[in-house]
Amino acid sequence: MRTTTMSVAAAAVVLALTLAGCSGGDDSVSDAGTRTSAPVTSAPAASATPTASAPSGTSAAAAHTDAELTSVFQRIQFKPAEFSSTDAMLDSVYPGLTVSDARCLAPFGVGWEKSDDAGTVVFGTSNDRSMTAVVASTGDTAAATDLVGDARDALSRCADGAALFSMQGTPVETTVETTKPTLTGTDDALGWRVRGTVGGNVFTLVGLTARVGGDVVALVGWDPASNTTNVPLATQMFVDAL
């Protein structure tokens, strides 16, 4: 596990936590500030097996349609097609976020829908708005591997510098840890955790990026009451469905 210091827009998470605190709780908050606590539905016992490798000499992989990915989101209690872009989705959860280098948001899956190599991309928040998920079905294992590589590179390259991220113009110093996921049925996976304090409020972000053949899911949770448990659980559910 590697620990470094970075400035991240997770201050927006603290804004949400502050609003929750003002209303008398620390559960996730909706757009109107209403407390919610709907947990992710428990998944059946995992039975996923690793996706078979593509034939030698080719990186082609089976691709999912938009309708198939949308169905996966709905079964796992995520809301697809709610936002026009991943940027808009992120701003709805972390309002006022600015970043000096958009590539630093690769672990969130931001911008995947704009990539020519990402194939079919579906994204949305969990029903309780404590998590965001972006899934790309590239139809190509090499392209999917590149998406995971971009996320891994961002965690390393964007781990330093107080000017990288800001919330309403204020940089926030935080601590980033890379973690080893315990997911099953993946071809590649990486995890990370961000901890910090803003205005006396402690916050935590937990993220996982996982590849299954030509499919990649990036999932991030901000609610410290649930993200350590729900982010791995929800990611495993996506992996099993892919």
Side-chain angles (χ1 to χ4, degrees):
M1 181 177 292
R2 177 177 57 82
T3 301
T4 52
T5 299
M6 72 180 290
S7 172
V8 74
V13 175
V14 178
L15 175 62
L17 293 177
T18 301
L19 291 173
C22 290
S23 63
D26 58 1
D27 292 332
S28 59
V29 292
S30 67
D31 290 333
T34 302
R35 293 175 56 215
T36 60
S37 58
V40 174
T41 301
S42 298
S47 59
T49 56
T51 302
S53 300
S56 178
T58 178
S59 62
H64 293 284
T65 65
D66 183 86
E68 289 172 336
L69 291 183
T70 295
S71 177
V72 169
F73 271 70
Q74 292 170 335
R75 293 200 309 270
I76 303 176
Q77 297 187 24
F78 277 71
K79 302 176 182 178
E82 186 179 8
F83 302 98
S84 61
S85 68
T86 50
D87 294 287
M89 178 181 71
L90 202 66
D91 188 62
S92 77
V93 179
Y94 314 110
L97 166 65
T98 58
V99 55
S100 61
D101 184 350
R103 294 175 299 173
C104 292
L105 295 177
F108 289 79
V110 171
W112 285 5
E113 79 282 10
K114 303 172 186 176
S115 171
D116 294 334
D117 298 326
T120 301
V121 178
V122 175
F123 49 90
T125 65
S126 56
N127 284 353
D128 68 354
R129 290 185 53 76
S130 69
M131 294 178 285
T132 61
V134 184
V135 176
S137 187
T138 70
D140 185 272
T141 57
T145 298
D146 286 344
L147 290 180
V148 178
D150 289 343
R152 182 175 285 111
D153 177 64
L155 289 173
S156 174
R157 187 168 45 80
C158 302
D160 296 309
L164 287 173
F165 296 87
S166 65
M167 177 61 191
Q168 299 179 348
T170 302
V172 181
E173 294 294 336
T174 61
T175 299
V176 172
E177 301 170 344
T178 56
T179 61
K180 184 177 181 180
T182 58
L183 303 171
T184 62
T186 63
D187 295 303
D188 193 9
L190 62 93
W192 52 273
R193 182 182 294 108
V194 174
R195 292 189 177 97
T197 303
V198 176
N201 294 294
V202 177
F203 67 88
T204 305
L205 289 178
V206 173
L208 286 174
T209 303
R211 179 178 71 84
V212 181
D215 301 326
V216 185
V217 55
L219 202 145
V220 180
W222 66 262
D223 184 358
S226 64
N227 57 19
T228 300
T229 299
N230 285 356
V231 168
L233 173 61
T235 305
Q236 185 66 65
M237 294 173 75
F238 274 106
V239 167
D240 292 346
L242 297 172

